[in-house]
């Protein structure tokens, strides 16, 4: 396991290259996102995605969220980007908003969520964007914690939980007070608000299902 300290605001090329190469080799890394520390791997590497679930002691059938370097990648990974999704993407990407789409055929079936879906987010964070650009494709990002435990807010916490089980850890300083992304399912006829998170988007959804309480919005 390699630990690399990095300036999140001005990440150096050597660190970015090392992290990208680890992911492209099929490894699992930890890195600071725009919200919290996350475990990351390639969405297209089924074994790596399943390893993330094992590390977190998480049900592998549960959906994962993947980070993309630019909004237009959603059009290749989603079977359809409807009007609501386009509006949300235009207003809030890059940013702490995760959207669930019906997955395009390119997404491996074993890493899709329930109903054949894929969850995507375009983060607003210099380190994330630079790393994603180096990797070139979607990177699974799951909070760095054991299932049911608080997410890690520093590289030190990541190491205490996962130790040498990871291929590489980027230490970009603390992410204290990070709030999870807002989560909206846009895969069906009506959008479903699944998690309020860092953004308030209910007023932008039109006729939606508030799945936080089971009530219509």
């Amino acid at each position: 396991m390699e630990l690399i300290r990095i300036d999140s605001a001005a990440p150096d090329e050597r660190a970015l290259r090392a992290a990208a190469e680890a992911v492209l080799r099929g490894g699992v890394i930890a890195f600071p996102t725009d919200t919290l520390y996350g475990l990351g791997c390639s969405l297209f590497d089924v074994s790596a995605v399943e390893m993330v679930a094992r590390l977190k002691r998480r049900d592998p059938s549960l959906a994962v969220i993947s980070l993309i370097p630019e909004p237009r990648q959603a059009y290749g990974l989603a079977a359809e980007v409807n009007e609501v999704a386009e509006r949300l993407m235009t207003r809030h990407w890059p940013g702490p908003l995760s959207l669930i789409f019906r997955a395009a055929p390119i997404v491996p079936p074993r890493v899709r969520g329930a109903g054949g879906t894929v969850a995507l987010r375009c983060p607003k964070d210099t380190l994330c964007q630079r790393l994603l650009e180096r990797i070139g494709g979607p990177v699974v990002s799951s909070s760095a914690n054991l299932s049911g435990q608080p997410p890690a807010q520093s590289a030190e916490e990541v190491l205490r939980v996962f130790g040498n089980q990871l291929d590489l850890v980027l230490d970009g300083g603390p992410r204290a007070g990070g709030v999870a992304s807002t989560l909206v399912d846009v895969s069906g006829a009506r959008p479903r608000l699944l998690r309020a998170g860092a953004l308030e988007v209910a007023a932008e959804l039109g006729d939606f299902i508030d799945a936080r309480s089971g009530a219509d919005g």
Side-chain angles (χ1 to χ4, degrees), residues 43 107 162 167 187:
L43 176 66
V107 178
F162 298 107
D167 292 83
S187 65

Side-chain angles (χ1 to χ4, degrees), residues 9-13 16 125-135:
D12 68 87
E13 292 299 321
L16 291 170
D125 177 85
T126 299
L127 173 56
C128 278
Q129 289 181 335
R130 295 279 298 280
L131 178 59
L132 293 168
E133 287 167 2
R134 292 293 177 284
I135 295 168

Side-chain angles (χ1 to χ4, degrees), residues 80-184:
E80 176 190 12
V81 179
N82 60 32
E83 183 180 345
V84 172
E86 285 190 334
R87 182 168 66 247
L88 293 172
M89 289 162 57
T90 299
R91 292 180 181 176
H92 300 294
W93 277 7
L97 172 68
S98 299
L99 298 175
I100 298 176
F101 302 89
R102 284 191 300 108
I106 193 174
V107 178
R110 282 169 60 191
V111 300
R112 297 178 191 176
T117 56
V118 62
L120 303 173
R121 180 159 67 87
C122 182
K124 187 177 183 180
D125 177 85
T126 299
L127 173 56
C128 278
Q129 289 181 335
R130 295 279 298 280
L131 178 59
L132 293 168
E133 287 167 2
R134 292 293 177 284
I135 295 168
V139 172
V140 167
S141 178
S142 184
S143 58
N145 60 285
L146 299 179
S147 184
Q149 298 298 312
Q153 297 182 353
S154 69
E156 289 78 13
E157 290 183 29
V158 172
L159 292 173
R160 279 200 296 271
V161 175
F162 298 107
N164 289 324
Q165 297 178 94
L166 304 175
D167 292 83
L168 180 145
V169 175
L170 288 180
D171 181 356
R175 285 295 189 270
V179 179
S181 63
T182 297
L183 182 61
V184 181

Side-chain angles (χ1 to χ4, degrees), residues 20-69:
E21 288 174 354
V23 170
L24 293 171
R25 286 196 306 266
V28 177
I29 69 171
F31 63 105
T33 73
D34 53 338
T35 54
L36 301 160
Y37 268 77
L39 302 182
C41 68
S42 171
L43 176 66
F44 296 126
D45 192 318
V46 173
S47 296
V49 176
E50 292 175 343
M51 174 59 75
V52 169
R54 286 198 296 274
L55 289 172
K56 288 171 59 72
R57 303 175 191 170
R58 182 177 187 264
D59 183 347
S61 69
L62 296 175
V64 293
I65 295 174
S66 293
L67 305 181
I68 53 177

